[in-house]
Amino acid sequence: MSLWNDMNLAGKRALILHHDDLGMFQAMNGAYAALGFPTGSIMLPTGWAAEAARTTLPHADLGVHLTLTSEWDNLRYRPLTGGASLVDGSGHFWKSVEEAWAHMDAGEVAVELRAQIEAGKALDYDVTHIDTHMGSAMRPDIAQVYIRLAIEYRIAAFVPELEGKAFAPDDAKVAEELARVIAGCGLPQFRVIDAYSQPPHARRAWLVDTLSKAGPGVYHCLHHAALDTPELRAIRDWPVRAADYAGLQDADVRRVLGEFVPLTYRDVRAGLQRYGFPG
Amino acid sequence: MSLWNDMNLAGKRALILHHDDLGMFQAMNGAYAALGFPTGSIMLPTGWAAEAARTTLPHADLGVHLTLTSEWDNLRYRPLTGGASLVDGSGHFWKSVEEAWAHMDAGEVAVELRAQIEAGKALDYDVTHIDTHMGSAMRPDIAQVYIRLAIEYRIAAFVPELEGKAFAPDDAKVAEELARVIAGCGLPQFRVIDAYSQPPHARRAWLVDTLSKAGPGVYHCLHHAALDTPELRAIRDWPVRAADYAGLQDADVRRVLGEFVPLTYRDVRAGLQRYGFPG
């Protein structure tokens, strides 16, 4: 990628450690504060988004975790705008990406994604980037909207390389279409490291192994660390989040993380601002 | 009150113990489940409303806690509808009742309150009643909307007697206007017992004393019990909520509560359905 060359990252191993789902519930924010890593993104349709935005971390690097799905039975989120295609019968976002992709009107999505970015700005934090909750913005027509919004707002965007399985749609034709959108978008792409579907009990070993073996490239390593509290335990995937929190405090994991050039989305945004946004 | 007579409550001491703010955050729902008292009301603009609605308590008696304010700095709620007069610059409800009353358009409020009741019904629980978060629906013109909605939906409503200080507006003229609305509304009124502004450390003693001394009448005794978790501790008034939770488990408090005829809003709704809604 040309930006990575411009930023003198060619041939290096660089990594953004990215805290997903800030604001989803309070224990996510608690983990962000306790861990102290700068980068993550906030879900604006949630009540605790306001707390996440009020972080006192001096080098906070926070984006908008663009949200189009509401995946739990007991904790749910509603769109900020009135698009009827965005919601199920209960008035919340669709539970699965499949349902969301089957129903969502791209025009209504565009209005909603813009509203979420504006809501981030209205919470008075420096929105450095956008990324996508559960990959729901990677429907090819929505990915185009997503990329256009990053360029318009002059912020960075998480854009995945599709070589691995992460973020690649199951349907081969859709995956091909998305690959075309990404190849032509002009924004830099990230290799993805995502422990989510790995067994929680082996989190530490998987992270050490995966990070150690990662070759040169610019990585977006996402995690979902949460404090282990009664609130977290009410969420179905709590073992994943508790394992991420414990794993990221592990000395060996910290050591292998330390072998990467630490990167933030603020850096990427600065690179884009210096070397030029596409379009 | 004629309904209380019809329901054979004249001269008796009857009480609805009411759990406010269900869904505000997860520890509120946890306390509801742990305490086991049937009656409370859910804030629909919150993520955890869905969990509150999924209670497995067999005799749950749940209403809609109509919400027009978003009082914290770190946990906030947005309207379900687009009324511009309902929100501050961040897109959330106004923080204080004073700000809300100064800005809210009654027409936009009516649309929002109806949407909150519909949102409760969409979560598939039996909505037995409405009540009002922080008394924000007691602006006299909004109180009229509130009463009309209860009558239209054939559900009960918390309507306070204004003899004490609770729910009576500070402005004497407004208080008089509200008193007129309530006197003419045709729905039964409740004496209010509200420990909120009492010192948390004396909660148990205050409840025992207040409940013991309460004369004949039908009471709405509201509380804000929450589990004492890190999530609760993130909320500014946590000592109040922790004290309510501890107080309601106290043997003496339970004893004095046991001296009242236990009433639910389902009972009140049944009474209204049997003896006739006004209008």
Side-chain angles (χ1 to χ4, degrees):
Chain A
M1 301 300 304
S2 143
L3 183 70
W4 300 151
N5 293 340
D6 291 338
M7 290 177 72
N8 198 22
L9 293 170
K12 297 197 173 72
R13 300 162 82 235
L15 181 141
I16 298 179
L17 183 66
H18 193 275
H19 205 151
D20 281 30
D21 297 352
L22 298 178
M24 181 189 273
F25 49 94
Q26 206 268 334
M28 298 299 302
N29 298 347
Y32 175 80
L35 287 170
F37 296 113
T39 302
S41 59
I42 303 177
M43 301 174 74
L44 271 300
T46 68
W48 289 106
E51 181 185 70
R54 289 162 58 87
T55 176
T56 54
L57 205 68
H59 299 296
D61 171 40
L62 293 171
V64 171
H65 196 53
L66 291 168
T67 300
L68 296 167
T69 45
S70 173
E71 65 271 36
W72 313 117
D73 291 328
N74 55 351
L75 170 65
R76 304 213 63 192
Y77 350 107
R78 302 172 187 274
L80 307 187
T81 57
S85 73
L86 308 180
V87 297
D88 67 15
S90 77
H92 301 92
F93 288 115
W94 298 98
K95 282 192 177 170
S96 69
V97 175
E98 290 69 26
E99 287 169 293
W101 283 21
H103 290 95
M104 291 190 301
D105 172 78
E108 291 183 344
V109 169
V111 171
E112 173 64 21
L113 296 185
R114 181 181 297 277
Q116 291 185 21
I117 296 172
E118 289 292 338
K121 294 162 75 80
L123 284 182
D124 262 343
Y125 70 99
D126 180 21
V127 175
T128 61
H129 67 287
I130 53 175
D131 72 326
T132 165
H133 184 53
M134 300 170 70
S136 52
M138 292 296 118
R139 196 176 78 181
D141 56 337
I142 299 174
Q144 289 181 297
V145 170
Y146 173 89
I147 286 158
R148 274 203 308 270
L149 283 168
I151 295 169
E152 176 187 334
Y153 279 96
R154 292 301 193 247
I155 55 181
F158 164 59
V159 180
E161 278 189 18
L162 295 179
E163 283 167 29
K165 274 185 197 153
F167 294 93
D170 288 336
D171 183 313
K173 213 179 123 203
V174 179
E176 204 178 291
E177 228 180 304
L178 176 61
R180 236 187 342 261
V181 170
I182 288 180
C185 80
L187 291 172
Q189 290 133 54
F190 294 83
R191 299 191 174 180
V192 178
I193 296 177
D194 179 4
Y196 191 89
S197 57
Q198 303 299 321
H201 69 269
R203 176 68 80 257
R204 189 197 143 282
W206 187 88
L207 283 171
V208 170
D209 186 58
T210 305
L211 292 166
S212 304
K213 288 183 181 153
V218 179
Y219 294 86
H220 173 106
C221 175
L222 61 97
H223 70 89
H224 301 82
L227 302 183
D228 192 356
T229 64
E231 183 202 26
L232 171 62
R233 295 283 176 129
I235 297 288
R236 200 171 58 233
D237 75 351
W238 70 264
V240 169
R241 296 169 192 263
D244 282 355
Y245 183 61
L248 289 171
Q249 294 174 88
D250 179 83
D252 288 329
V253 172
R254 293 276 185 142
R255 179 179 51 74
V256 292
L257 281 170
E259 293 164 0
F260 287 80
V261 175
L263 198 66
T264 68
Y265 274 108
R266 181 171 283 111
D267 300 330
V268 177
R269 181 181 64 176
L272 285 163
Q273 286 169 346
R274 175 157 180 190
Y275 298 105
F277 276 89
Chain B
M1 301 297 305
S2 142
L3 182 70
W4 300 149
N5 293 340
D6 292 338
M7 290 177 72
N8 198 23
L9 293 169
K12 297 199 172 71
R13 300 163 82 235
L15 180 141
I16 298 180
L17 183 65
H18 193 276
H19 205 150
D20 281 30
D21 296 353
L22 298 178
M24 180 189 273
F25 49 92
Q26 206 268 333
M28 298 299 300
N29 298 347
Y32 175 79
L35 287 170
F37 296 113
T39 302
S41 59
I42 303 177
M43 301 174 72
L44 272 301
T46 68
W48 290 107
E51 181 185 69
R54 289 162 58 87
T55 175
T56 55
L57 204 70
H59 298 296
D61 171 40
L62 294 171
V64 170
H65 196 52
L66 291 167
T67 300
L68 296 168
T69 45
S70 173
E71 64 271 39
W72 313 116
D73 290 328
N74 55 352
L75 170 66
R76 304 214 60 192
Y77 350 107
R78 301 171 186 276
L80 307 186
T81 56
S85 73
L86 308 181
V87 298
D88 66 15
S90 76
H92 302 93
F93 288 115
W94 298 97
K95 282 192 178 170
S96 68
V97 174
E98 289 69 27
E99 287 168 293
W101 282 22
H103 289 96
M104 291 190 302
D105 171 79
E108 291 184 342
V109 169
V111 171
E112 174 65 21
L113 297 185
R114 180 181 296 277
Q116 291 185 21
I117 297 173
E118 290 291 339
K121 293 163 75 81
L123 283 182
D124 262 342
Y125 70 99
D126 179 22
V127 175
T128 61
H129 67 287
I130 54 176
D131 72 327
T132 166
H133 185 53
M134 299 170 69
S136 52
M138 292 296 116
R139 196 176 78 182
D141 57 337
I142 298 175
Q144 289 181 298
V145 171
Y146 172 90
I147 286 158
R148 275 203 308 269
L149 282 168
I151 295 169
E152 176 188 334
Y153 279 95
R154 292 299 193 249
I155 56 182
F158 164 61
V159 180
E161 279 188 18
L162 295 179
E163 282 167 30
K165 276 185 197 154
F167 295 91
D170 288 336
D171 182 313
K173 214 181 124 202
V174 178
E176 204 178 293
E177 228 180 303
L178 176 61
R180 238 188 338 261
V181 170
I182 288 180
C185 80
L187 290 173
Q189 289 132 54
F190 293 83
R191 298 192 175 178
V192 179
I193 297 177
D194 179 3
Y196 192 88
S197 57
Q198 303 300 321
H201 70 269
R203 177 68 80 256
R204 188 197 143 281
W206 188 87
L207 282 172
V208 170
D209 186 59
T210 305
L211 292 166
S212 304
K213 288 185 182 153
V218 179
Y219 294 86
H220 172 106
C221 174
L222 61 97
H223 69 90
H224 302 82
L227 301 183
D228 192 356
T229 65
E231 183 202 29
L232 172 62
R233 295 281 176 131
I235 296 288
R236 200 173 54 232
D237 75 352
W238 71 263
V240 170
R241 295 169 194 263
D244 281 354
Y245 184 61
L248 288 172
Q249 294 173 88
D250 179 82
D252 287 329
V253 173
R254 294 273 187 145
R255 180 179 51 72
V256 291
L257 281 171
E259 293 165 0
F260 287 80
V261 175
L263 198 65
T264 67
Y265 274 109
R266 181 171 283 110
D267 300 331
V268 177
R269 181 181 63 175
L272 285 163
Q273 287 170 345
R274 176 158 180 189
Y275 298 105
F277 276 87

